[in-house]
Structures are given as structure tokens and as C-alpha cells.
Amino acid sequence: MTEKEMLKLSVEEFSRLQGYMILADKESESYKAMKIRYIELKVILTFSGINLTELDRIKE
């Protein structure tokens, strides 16, 4: 898998995950688990030079 393909998949996962988080109760265990992955993806994308200003709907 190329770096470009990996970044594409990460952006897609980040977007999809945020959609799930918006629907979930913030106090639920599911939300807490999703938030861990959200932070991981945010770090990966930021480190890769992706501007999250437009993509980040959670902003936590």
C-alpha cells in the first residue's frame, strides 16, 4: 500500500468515525472507545501534513 493510499483510507476512516461519534451518547463506552481511535487518527493525519480544519467536525 502506498503512502497516498494509506492517507486516503485514514481520511475516510476519520470522517466515518466522526459520523458515528456524533450519533453516540458522549457518556457511553462506545463513544469513549471511538474517541481513542479519533485521537490516534487525528495525530496520524496531522503528522502527515493533512489540514484537519475542514474535516474535523468533533473538534475535541
Side-chain angles (χ1 to χ4, degrees):
M1 178 180 298
T2 67
E3 182 179 344
K4 187 174 180 178
E5 291 171 324
M6 188 179 304
L7 286 175
K8 179 184 177 291
L9 289 173
S10 294
V11 168
E12 291 171 345
E13 182 182 355
F14 186 71
S15 180
R16 187 171 34 254
L17 179 61
Q18 288 183 92
Y20 299 146
M21 290 174 75
I22 289 168
L23 296 173
D25 175 15
K26 289 187 177 186
E27 301 303 318
S28 71
E29 292 302 313
S30 297
Y31 185 90
K32 292 172 185 175
M34 287 186 280
K35 187 170 180 183
I36 292 169
R37 183 61 180 153
Y38 164 83
I39 292 168
E40 292 170 347
L41 286 167
K42 196 169 181 175
V43 168
I44 290 167
L45 293 170
T46 301
F47 181 75
S48 299
I50 303 294
N51 184 346
L52 296 178
T53 303
E54 296 294 322
L55 294 173
D56 193 357
R57 295 177 279 164
I58 304 294
K59 302 193 187 313
E60 288 186 16

